[in-house]
Amino acid sequence: MNNAMRTMPAEAATVERYRGAVADSRFRRLWNANAPGYLFLLPWLLGFFGLTFGPALMSLYLSFTDFDMLRSPGWVGAANYVRIATADPKFASAMSVTLTYVMLAVPFKLAFALMVALALNRGIKGLPIYRAIFYLPSLLGASVAIAVLWRQLFAGDGLVNAALAQFGIQGPSWISHPNYSIYTLVALSVWQFGSPMIIFLAGLRQIPQDMYEAASLDGASKFRQFYKITLPLLTPVIFFNAVVQTIDAFKAFTPAFIISGGTGGPINSTLFYTLYLYQEAFGNFRMGYASALAWILVIIIAIFTAFSFLSSRYWVHYDD
């Protein structure tokens, strides 16, 4: 009995060494098999944690402080969020302007992009050239240069009013009138239709042509073919474009900043949410309050995206 008790610790140690050797061997095999992949991922992982995830967590912490970039952050709890909800009229104004912009810019942009894609899908000559020309505004549209150009076009003595004057129409100063300024930004967004147009065109190329031939033999008109064949089969592409363009519209900043001179005027008519956030952070140095505004924008975009995915089951048609 005593001999058996003395040999038990030695056997247990042997088992532990065996398990450790097996685990070490398994880890070594996994490392040898996946090390090149992890090394290729390393720059992305460093960028994600250092430039995205880390700053996001820091901004979440700052949203509960009164940080002004000059003193250390002071914990204030949910005071920033309470103030946004109860005592900030500019928040409501910025949200109203942004929602108006999103509700106008996204549908018009998608409709115009689909219309051009349908025209290009008819097999015209020089399609790659037209495709490149129409895509060019998407590359340039968000730049400062285009925003400055847009401001010159829609100024009181700009090119648009000069063209209207040829027909005897006296146009207003579009960008300095609170009733029209938001529509100049919507027009600029619609002008950047190239990106969704390319995706629509790719989706149209995937629709089987024999379905149109069968519909033509049955006497279906072009409008009926579009309504009964093209639109249902294109709904996954429409859904994708709608989600991407909605998120992009919520984040719009440069055009409003350039056209309004960073003020959001006239009378806050171009005060986009991102512009108001910028004013609070870098104009008033209220970094804690601006961080709270940023997280509210994240939540709003998440709600819109979740609603889009939930509603997609009722109107998006997949092959299966």
Side-chain angles (χ1 to χ4, degrees):
M1 181 66 179
N2 291 335
N3 292 335
M5 292 181 64
R6 280 197 297 270
T7 57
M8 284 181 64
E11 291 176 355
T14 304
V15 171
E16 287 301 320
R17 283 198 297 272
Y18 174 75
R19 288 177 178 172
V22 170
D24 183 62
S25 176
R26 188 178 302 165
F27 174 77
R28 192 170 299 171
R29 284 200 305 272
L30 287 174
W31 174 254
N32 291 335
N34 301 317
Y38 287 121
L39 287 177
F40 278 112
L41 278 174
L42 188 59
W44 181 87
L45 290 173
L46 290 176
F48 174 73
F49 285 104
L51 302 176
T52 302
F53 188 69
L57 284 182
M58 189 63 188
S59 75
L60 180 60
Y61 164 70
L62 291 177
S63 70
F64 295 98
T65 69
D66 63 351
F67 183 47
D68 59 2
M69 299 180 71
L70 299 176
R71 296 167 297 179
S72 299
W75 184 263
V76 295
N80 288 330
Y81 294 96
V82 172
R83 181 189 163 198
I84 290 172
T86 60
D88 188 354
K90 288 191 76 174
F91 166 77
S93 177
M95 186 55 68
S96 174
V97 171
T98 303
L99 288 177
T100 302
Y101 174 77
V102 171
M103 295 304 173
L104 290 176
V106 174
F108 279 114
K109 187 177 188 177
L110 293 183
F112 193 67
L114 179 58
M115 185 177 65
V116 176
L118 287 169
L120 294 179
N121 194 43
R122 299 174 66 86
I124 61 176
K125 291 182 179 178
L127 177 60
I129 298 175
Y130 288 112
R131 201 163 47 198
I133 292 174
F134 288 136
Y135 187 69
L136 192 59
S138 290
L139 298 177
L140 303 175
S143 67
V144 174
I146 293 300
V148 172
L149 173 64
W150 214 255
R151 187 173 61 185
Q152 298 300 323
L153 286 175
F154 286 93
D157 55 350
L159 189 61
V160 172
N161 279 347
L164 291 176
Q166 300 298 319
F167 301 96
I169 301 174
Q170 182 65 39
S173 180
W174 303 92
I175 60 173
S176 58
H177 197 294
N179 291 341
Y180 305 117
S181 55
I182 186 67
Y183 300 113
T184 62
L185 298 176
V186 171
L188 176 57
S189 175
V190 174
W191 181 66
Q192 304 165 37
F193 65 92
S195 178
M197 179 210 69
I198 292 293
I199 299 173
F200 276 137
L201 192 57
L204 289 171
R205 295 297 176 88
Q206 301 301 316
I207 298 177
Q209 292 301 309
D210 54 354
M211 300 185 72
Y212 293 108
E213 294 171 2
S216 297
L217 291 175
D218 290 340
S221 64
K222 291 294 182 183
F223 176 78
R224 192 171 180 80
Q225 291 178 27
F226 173 77
Y227 183 70
K228 291 293 186 180
I229 298 175
T230 305
L231 270 185
L233 295 180
L234 206 61
T235 48
V237 180
I238 295 173
F239 172 68
F240 173 80
N241 270 335
V243 171
V244 171
Q245 295 302 322
T246 300
I247 295 173
D248 194 47
F250 270 112
K251 297 188 304 177
F253 171 77
T254 304
F257 180 82
I258 298 299
I259 288 179
S260 70
T263 63
I267 318 178
N268 292 337
S269 59
T270 59
L271 185 65
F272 282 7
Y273 192 90
T274 51
L275 180 56
Y276 178 49
L277 193 157
Y278 173 85
Q279 290 177 348
E280 287 294 318
F282 300 101
N284 301 322
F285 297 105
R286 289 196 282 258
M287 283 293 175
Y289 193 70
S291 298
L293 288 171
W295 275 98
I296 287 179
L297 179 61
V298 170
I299 293 171
I300 291 172
I301 291 176
I303 291 173
F304 265 83
T305 306
F307 176 77
S308 300
F309 274 90
L310 290 175
S311 65
S312 67
R313 68 181 67 176
Y314 301 107
W315 63 276
V316 178
H317 307 285
Y318 295 99
D319 289 340
D320 55 351

mmCIF file with all atom_site columns, all heavy atoms in Angstrom, residues 163-181:
data_model
loop_
_atom_site.group_PDB
_atom_site.id
_atom_site.type_symbol
_atom_site.label_atom_id
_atom_site.label_alt_id
_atom_site.label_comp_id
_atom_site.label_asym_id
_atom_site.label_entity_id
_atom_site.label_seq_id
_atom_site.pdbx_PDB_ins_code
_atom_site.Cartn_x
_atom_site.Cartn_y
_atom_site.Cartn_z
_atom_site.occupancy
_atom_site.B_iso_or_equiv
_atom_site.pdbx_formal_charge
_atom_site.auth_seq_id
_atom_site.auth_comp_id
_atom_site.auth_asym_id
_atom_site.auth_atom_id
_atom_site.pdbx_PDB_model_num
ATOM 1   N N   . ALA A 1 163 ? -27.452 80.817 -66.132 1.00 0.00 ? 163 ALA A N   1
ATOM 2   C CA  . ALA A 1 163 ? -28.216 80.021 -67.101 1.00 0.00 ? 163 ALA A CA  1
ATOM 3   C C   . ALA A 1 163 ? -29.714 80.327 -66.995 1.00 0.00 ? 163 ALA A C   1
ATOM 4   O O   . ALA A 1 163 ? -30.413 80.435 -68.013 1.00 0.00 ? 163 ALA A O   1
ATOM 5   C CB  . ALA A 1 163 ? -27.956 78.538 -66.858 1.00 0.00 ? 163 ALA A CB  1
ATOM 6   N N   . LEU A 1 164 ? -30.215 80.475 -65.749 1.00 0.00 ? 164 LEU A N   1
ATOM 7   C CA  . LEU A 1 164 ? -31.636 80.803 -65.577 1.00 0.00 ? 164 LEU A CA  1
ATOM 8   C C   . LEU A 1 164 ? -31.966 82.173 -66.142 1.00 0.00 ? 164 LEU A C   1
ATOM 9   O O   . LEU A 1 164 ? -33.072 82.400 -66.662 1.00 0.00 ? 164 LEU A O   1
ATOM 10  C CB  . LEU A 1 164 ? -31.989 80.751 -64.082 1.00 0.00 ? 164 LEU A CB  1
ATOM 11  C CG  . LEU A 1 164 ? -31.982 79.360 -63.432 1.00 0.00 ? 164 LEU A CG  1
ATOM 12  C CD1 . LEU A 1 164 ? -32.241 79.480 -61.932 1.00 0.00 ? 164 LEU A CD1 1
ATOM 13  C CD2 . LEU A 1 164 ? -33.015 78.452 -64.083 1.00 0.00 ? 164 LEU A CD2 1
ATOM 14  N N   . ALA A 1 165 ? -31.005 83.109 -66.057 1.00 0.00 ? 165 ALA A N   1
ATOM 15  C CA  . ALA A 1 165 ? -31.242 84.466 -66.573 1.00 0.00 ? 165 ALA A CA  1
ATOM 16  C C   . ALA A 1 165 ? -31.462 84.459 -68.074 1.00 0.00 ? 165 ALA A C   1
ATOM 17  O O   . ALA A 1 165 ? -32.137 85.348 -68.610 1.00 0.00 ? 165 ALA A O   1
ATOM 18  C CB  . ALA A 1 165 ? -30.064 85.364 -66.196 1.00 0.00 ? 165 ALA A CB  1
ATOM 19  N N   . GLN A 1 166 ? -30.918 83.461 -68.780 1.00 0.00 ? 166 GLN A N   1
ATOM 20  C CA  . GLN A 1 166 ? -31.129 83.366 -70.229 1.00 0.00 ? 166 GLN A CA  1
ATOM 21  C C   . GLN A 1 166 ? -32.604 83.143 -70.578 1.00 0.00 ? 166 GLN A C   1
ATOM 22  O O   . GLN A 1 166 ? -33.052 83.432 -71.680 1.00 0.00 ? 166 GLN A O   1
ATOM 23  C CB  . GLN A 1 166 ? -30.289 82.227 -70.816 1.00 0.00 ? 166 GLN A CB  1
ATOM 24  C CG  . GLN A 1 166 ? -28.791 82.394 -70.610 1.00 0.00 ? 166 GLN A CG  1
ATOM 25  C CD  . GLN A 1 166 ? -28.255 83.650 -71.288 1.00 0.00 ? 166 GLN A CD  1
ATOM 26  O OE1 . GLN A 1 166 ? -28.641 83.975 -72.408 1.00 0.00 ? 166 GLN A OE1 1
ATOM 27  N NE2 . GLN A 1 166 ? -27.365 84.369 -70.593 1.00 0.00 ? 166 GLN A NE2 1
ATOM 28  N N   . PHE A 1 167 ? -33.350 82.587 -69.610 1.00 0.00 ? 167 PHE A N   1
ATOM 29  C CA  . PHE A 1 167 ? -34.788 82.347 -69.808 1.00 0.00 ? 167 PHE A CA  1
ATOM 30  C C   . PHE A 1 167 ? -35.635 83.375 -69.050 1.00 0.00 ? 167 PHE A C   1
ATOM 31  O O   . PHE A 1 167 ? -36.844 83.173 -68.861 1.00 0.00 ? 167 PHE A O   1
ATOM 32  C CB  . PHE A 1 167 ? -35.143 80.940 -69.327 1.00 0.00 ? 167 PHE A CB  1
ATOM 33  C CG  . PHE A 1 167 ? -34.383 79.853 -70.032 1.00 0.00 ? 167 PHE A CG  1
ATOM 34  C CD1 . PHE A 1 167 ? -33.237 79.310 -69.484 1.00 0.00 ? 167 PHE A CD1 1
ATOM 35  C CD2 . PHE A 1 167 ? -34.805 79.388 -71.276 1.00 0.00 ? 167 PHE A CD2 1
ATOM 36  C CE1 . PHE A 1 167 ? -32.530 78.311 -70.127 1.00 0.00 ? 167 PHE A CE1 1
ATOM 37  C CE2 . PHE A 1 167 ? -34.103 78.389 -71.927 1.00 0.00 ? 167 PHE A CE2 1
ATOM 38  C CZ  . PHE A 1 167 ? -32.968 77.853 -71.363 1.00 0.00 ? 167 PHE A CZ  1
ATOM 39  N N   . GLY A 1 168 ? -34.994 84.437 -68.602 1.00 0.00 ? 168 GLY A N   1
ATOM 40  C CA  . GLY A 1 168 ? -35.724 85.496 -67.909 1.00 0.00 ? 168 GLY A CA  1
ATOM 41  C C   . GLY A 1 168 ? -36.074 85.175 -66.480 1.00 0.00 ? 168 GLY A C   1
ATOM 42  O O   . GLY A 1 168 ? -36.995 85.785 -65.899 1.00 0.00 ? 168 GLY A O   1
ATOM 43  N N   . ILE A 1 169 ? -35.395 84.195 -65.874 1.00 0.00 ? 169 ILE A N   1
ATOM 44  C CA  . ILE A 1 169 ? -35.680 83.795 -64.488 1.00 0.00 ? 169 ILE A CA  1
ATOM 45  C C   . ILE A 1 169 ? -34.597 84.359 -63.586 1.00 0.00 ? 169 ILE A C   1
ATOM 46  O O   . ILE A 1 169 ? -33.408 84.158 -63.844 1.00 0.00 ? 169 ILE A O   1
ATOM 47  C CB  . ILE A 1 169 ? -35.736 82.263 -64.355 1.00 0.00 ? 169 ILE A CB  1
ATOM 48  C CG1 . ILE A 1 169 ? -36.822 81.699 -65.283 1.00 0.00 ? 169 ILE A CG1 1
ATOM 49  C CG2 . ILE A 1 169 ? -35.989 81.850 -62.906 1.00 0.00 ? 169 ILE A CG2 1
ATOM 50  C CD1 . ILE A 1 169 ? -36.842 80.186 -65.324 1.00 0.00 ? 169 ILE A CD1 1
ATOM 51  N N   . GLN A 1 170 ? -35.016 85.054 -62.538 1.00 0.00 ? 170 GLN A N   1
ATOM 52  C CA  . GLN A 1 170 ? -34.079 85.590 -61.554 1.00 0.00 ? 170 GLN A CA  1
ATOM 53  C C   . GLN A 1 170 ? -33.959 84.609 -60.397 1.00 0.00 ? 170 GLN A C   1
ATOM 54  O O   . GLN A 1 170 ? -34.859 84.511 -59.559 1.00 0.00 ? 170 GLN A O   1
ATOM 55  C CB  . GLN A 1 170 ? -34.570 86.958 -61.058 1.00 0.00 ? 170 GLN A CB  1
ATOM 56  C CG  . GLN A 1 170 ? -33.640 87.624 -60.053 1.00 0.00 ? 170 GLN A CG  1
ATOM 57  C CD  . GLN A 1 170 ? -32.288 87.981 -60.659 1.00 0.00 ? 170 GLN A CD  1
ATOM 58  O OE1 . GLN A 1 170 ? -32.203 88.419 -61.810 1.00 0.00 ? 170 GLN A OE1 1
ATOM 59  N NE2 . GLN A 1 170 ? -31.237 87.778 -59.891 1.00 0.00 ? 170 GLN A NE2 1
ATOM 60  N N   . GLY A 1 171 ? -32.882 83.855 -60.384 1.00 0.00 ? 171 GLY A N   1
ATOM 61  C CA  . GLY A 1 171 ? -32.703 82.844 -59.336 1.00 0.00 ? 171 GLY A CA  1
ATOM 62  C C   . GLY A 1 171 ? -32.200 83.444 -58.042 1.00 0.00 ? 171 GLY A C   1
ATOM 63  O O   . GLY A 1 171 ? -31.547 84.494 -58.048 1.00 0.00 ? 171 GLY A O   1
ATOM 64  N N   . PRO A 1 172 ? -32.479 82.801 -56.916 1.00 0.00 ? 172 PRO A N   1
ATOM 65  C CA  . PRO A 1 172 ? -31.978 83.293 -55.620 1.00 0.00 ? 172 PRO A CA  1
ATOM 66  C C   . PRO A 1 172 ? -30.513 82.892 -55.424 1.00 0.00 ? 172 PRO A C   1
ATOM 67  O O   . PRO A 1 172 ? -29.943 82.166 -56.240 1.00 0.00 ? 172 PRO A O   1
ATOM 68  C CB  . PRO A 1 172 ? -32.874 82.569 -54.613 1.00 0.00 ? 172 PRO A CB  1
ATOM 69  C CG  . PRO A 1 172 ? -33.199 81.282 -55.296 1.00 0.00 ? 172 PRO A CG  1
ATOM 70  C CD  . PRO A 1 172 ? -33.284 81.579 -56.774 1.00 0.00 ? 172 PRO A CD  1
ATOM 71  N N   . SER A 1 173 ? -29.936 83.350 -54.356 1.00 0.00 ? 173 SER A N   1
ATOM 72  C CA  . SER A 1 173 ? -28.603 82.877 -53.958 1.00 0.00 ? 173 SER A CA  1
ATOM 73  C C   . SER A 1 173 ? -28.813 81.556 -53.221 1.00 0.00 ? 173 SER A C   1
ATOM 74  O O   . SER A 1 173 ? -29.122 81.535 -52.032 1.00 0.00 ? 173 SER A O   1
ATOM 75  C CB  . SER A 1 173 ? -27.911 83.903 -53.064 1.00 0.00 ? 173 SER A CB  1
ATOM 76  O OG  . SER A 1 173 ? -26.634 83.413 -52.691 1.00 0.00 ? 173 SER A OG  1
ATOM 77  N N   . TRP A 1 174 ? -28.647 80.468 -53.963 1.00 0.00 ? 174 TRP A N   1
ATOM 78  C CA  . TRP A 1 174 ? -29.078 79.169 -53.474 1.00 0.00 ? 174 TRP A CA  1
ATOM 79  C C   . TRP A 1 174 ? -28.415 78.771 -52.160 1.00 0.00 ? 174 TRP A C   1
ATOM 80  O O   . TRP A 1 174 ? -29.055 78.204 -51.270 1.00 0.00 ? 174 TRP A O   1
ATOM 81  C CB  . TRP A 1 174 ? -28.794 78.100 -54.534 1.00 0.00 ? 174 TRP A CB  1
ATOM 82  C CG  . TRP A 1 174 ? -29.449 78.394 -55.846 1.00 0.00 ? 174 TRP A CG  1
ATOM 83  C CD1 . TRP A 1 174 ? -28.906 79.078 -56.899 1.00 0.00 ? 174 TRP A CD1 1
ATOM 84  C CD2 . TRP A 1 174 ? -30.773 78.056 -56.234 1.00 0.00 ? 174 TRP A CD2 1
ATOM 85  N NE1 . TRP A 1 174 ? -29.807 79.179 -57.933 1.00 0.00 ? 174 TRP A NE1 1
ATOM 86  C CE2 . TRP A 1 174 ? -30.962 78.542 -57.554 1.00 0.00 ? 174 TRP A CE2 1
ATOM 87  C CE3 . TRP A 1 174 ? -31.821 77.368 -55.624 1.00 0.00 ? 174 TRP A CE3 1
ATOM 88  C CZ2 . TRP A 1 174 ? -32.159 78.381 -58.245 1.00 0.00 ? 174 TRP A CZ2 1
ATOM 89  C CZ3 . TRP A 1 174 ? -33.006 77.201 -56.321 1.00 0.00 ? 174 TRP A CZ3 1
ATOM 90  C CH2 . TRP A 1 174 ? -33.167 77.704 -57.608 1.00 0.00 ? 174 TRP A CH2 1
ATOM 91  N N   . ILE A 1 175 ? -27.124 79.039 -52.045 1.00 0.00 ? 175 ILE A N   1
ATOM 92  C CA  . ILE A 1 175 ? -26.399 78.553 -50.860 1.00 0.00 ? 175 ILE A CA  1
ATOM 93  C C   . ILE A 1 175 ? -26.535 79.482 -49.654 1.00 0.00 ? 175 ILE A C   1
ATOM 94  O O   . ILE A 1 175 ? -26.186 79.089 -48.540 1.00 0.00 ? 175 ILE A O   1
ATOM 95  C CB  . ILE A 1 175 ? -24.903 78.352 -51.167 1.00 0.00 ? 175 ILE A CB  1
ATOM 96  C CG1 . ILE A 1 175 ? -24.277 79.678 -51.608 1.00 0.00 ? 175 ILE A CG1 1
ATOM 97  C CG2 . ILE A 1 175 ? -24.700 77.296 -52.208 1.00 0.00 ? 175 ILE A CG2 1
ATOM 98  C CD1 . ILE A 1 175 ? -22.781 79.601 -51.756 1.00 0.00 ? 175 ILE A CD1 1
ATOM 99  N N   . SER A 1 176 ? -27.023 80.703 -49.847 1.00 0.00 ? 176 SER A N   1
ATOM 100 C CA  . SER A 1 176 ? -27.170 81.617 -48.701 1.00 0.00 ? 176 SER A CA  1
ATOM 101 C C   . SER A 1 176 ? -28.625 81.843 -48.345 1.00 0.00 ? 176 SER A C   1
ATOM 102 O O   . SER A 1 176 ? -28.927 82.706 -47.523 1.00 0.00 ? 176 SER A O   1
ATOM 103 C CB  . SER A 1 176 ? -26.490 82.963 -49.008 1.00 0.00 ? 176 SER A CB  1
ATOM 104 O OG  . SER A 1 176 ? -27.036 83.545 -50.174 1.00 0.00 ? 176 SER A OG  1
ATOM 105 N N   . HIS A 1 177 ? -29.536 81.072 -48.939 1.00 0.00 ? 177 HIS A N   1
ATOM 106 C CA  . HIS A 1 177 ? -30.958 81.156 -48.596 1.00 0.00 ? 177 HIS A CA  1
ATOM 107 C C   . HIS A 1 177 ? -31.345 79.913 -47.810 1.00 0.00 ? 177 HIS A C   1
ATOM 108 O O   . HIS A 1 177 ? -31.148 78.781 -48.290 1.00 0.00 ? 177 HIS A O   1
ATOM 109 C CB  . HIS A 1 177 ? -31.804 81.268 -49.867 1.00 0.00 ? 177 HIS A CB  1
ATOM 110 C CG  . HIS A 1 177 ? -33.199 81.747 -49.605 1.00 0.00 ? 177 HIS A CG  1
ATOM 111 N ND1 . HIS A 1 177 ? -34.123 81.018 -48.887 1.00 0.00 ? 177 HIS A ND1 1
ATOM 112 C CD2 . HIS A 1 177 ? -33.831 82.898 -49.952 1.00 0.00 ? 177 HIS A CD2 1
ATOM 113 C CE1 . HIS A 1 177 ? -35.261 81.680 -48.813 1.00 0.00 ? 177 HIS A CE1 1
ATOM 114 N NE2 . HIS A 1 177 ? -35.107 82.831 -49.445 1.00 0.00 ? 177 HIS A NE2 1
ATOM 115 N N   . PRO A 1 178 ? -31.886 80.073 -46.598 1.00 0.00 ? 178 PRO A N   1
ATOM 116 C CA  . PRO A 1 178 ? -32.165 78.883 -45.762 1.00 0.00 ? 178 PRO A CA  1
ATOM 117 C C   . PRO A 1 178 ? -33.178 77.928 -46.375 1.00 0.00 ? 178 PRO A C   1
ATOM 118 O O   . PRO A 1 178 ? -33.203 76.751 -45.999 1.00 0.00 ? 178 PRO A O   1
ATOM 119 C CB  . PRO A 1 178 ? -32.693 79.500 -44.456 1.00 0.00 ? 178 PRO A CB  1
ATOM 120 C CG  . PRO A 1 178 ? -33.120 80.883 -44.799 1.00 0.00 ? 178 PRO A CG  1
ATOM 121 C CD  . PRO A 1 178 ? -32.232 81.337 -45.924 1.00 0.00 ? 178 PRO A CD  1
ATOM 122 N N   . ASN A 1 179 ? -34.007 78.418 -47.314 1.00 0.00 ? 179 ASN A N   1
ATOM 123 C CA  . ASN A 1 179 ? -35.003 77.522 -47.916 1.00 0.00 ? 179 ASN A CA  1
ATOM 124 C C   . ASN A 1 179 ? -34.423 76.645 -49.022 1.00 0.00 ? 179 ASN A C   1
ATOM 125 O O   . ASN A 1 179 ? -35.051 75.661 -49.423 1.00 0.00 ? 179 ASN A O   1
ATOM 126 C CB  . ASN A 1 179 ? -36.163 78.336 -48.488 1.00 0.00 ? 179 ASN A CB  1
ATOM 127 C CG  . ASN A 1 179 ? -36.988 78.977 -47.393 1.00 0.00 ? 179 ASN A CG  1
ATOM 128 O OD1 . ASN A 1 179 ? -36.933 78.556 -46.237 1.00 0.00 ? 179 ASN A OD1 1
ATOM 129 N ND2 . ASN A 1 179 ? -37.730 80.023 -47.738 1.00 0.00 ? 179 ASN A ND2 1
ATOM 130 N N   . TYR A 1 180 ? -33.266 77.013 -49.565 1.00 0.00 ? 180 TYR A N   1
ATOM 131 C CA  . TYR A 1 180 ? -32.716 76.286 -50.711 1.00 0.00 ? 180 TYR A CA  1
ATOM 132 C C   . TYR A 1 180 ? -31.353 75.650 -50.448 1.00 0.00 ? 180 TYR A C   1
ATOM 133 O O   . TYR A 1 180 ? -30.928 74.780 -51.208 1.00 0.00 ? 180 TYR A O   1
ATOM 134 C CB  . TYR A 1 180 ? -32.583 77.238 -51.916 1.00 0.00 ? 180 TYR A CB  1
ATOM 135 C CG  . TYR A 1 180 ? -33.843 77.951 -52.298 1.00 0.00 ? 180 TYR A CG  1
ATOM 136 C CD1 . TYR A 1 180 ? -33.942 79.333 -52.226 1.00 0.00 ? 180 TYR A CD1 1
ATOM 137 C CD2 . TYR A 1 180 ? -34.960 77.239 -52.736 1.00 0.00 ? 180 TYR A CD2 1
ATOM 138 C CE1 . TYR A 1 180 ? -35.112 79.999 -52.570 1.00 0.00 ? 180 TYR A CE1 1
ATOM 139 C CE2 . TYR A 1 180 ? -36.136 77.894 -53.076 1.00 0.00 ? 180 TYR A CE2 1
ATOM 140 C CZ  . TYR A 1 180 ? -36.199 79.269 -52.989 1.00 0.00 ? 180 TYR A CZ  1
ATOM 141 O OH  . TYR A 1 180 ? -37.363 79.912 -53.336 1.00 0.00 ? 180 TYR A OH  1
ATOM 142 N N   . SER A 1 181 ? -30.648 76.089 -49.419 1.00 0.00 ? 181 SER A N   1
ATOM 143 C CA  . SER A 1 181 ? -29.250 75.668 -49.257 1.00 0.00 ? 181 SER A CA  1
ATOM 144 C C   . SER A 1 181 ? -29.115 74.146 -49.107 1.00 0.00 ? 181 SER A C   1
ATOM 145 O O   . SER A 1 181 ? -28.189 73.550 -49.664 1.00 0.00 ? 181 SER A O   1
ATOM 146 C CB  . SER A 1 181 ? -28.640 76.378 -48.049 1.00 0.00 ? 181 SER A CB  1
ATOM 147 O OG  . SER A 1 181 ? -29.432 76.143 -46.896 1.00 0.00 ? 181 SER A OG  1
#
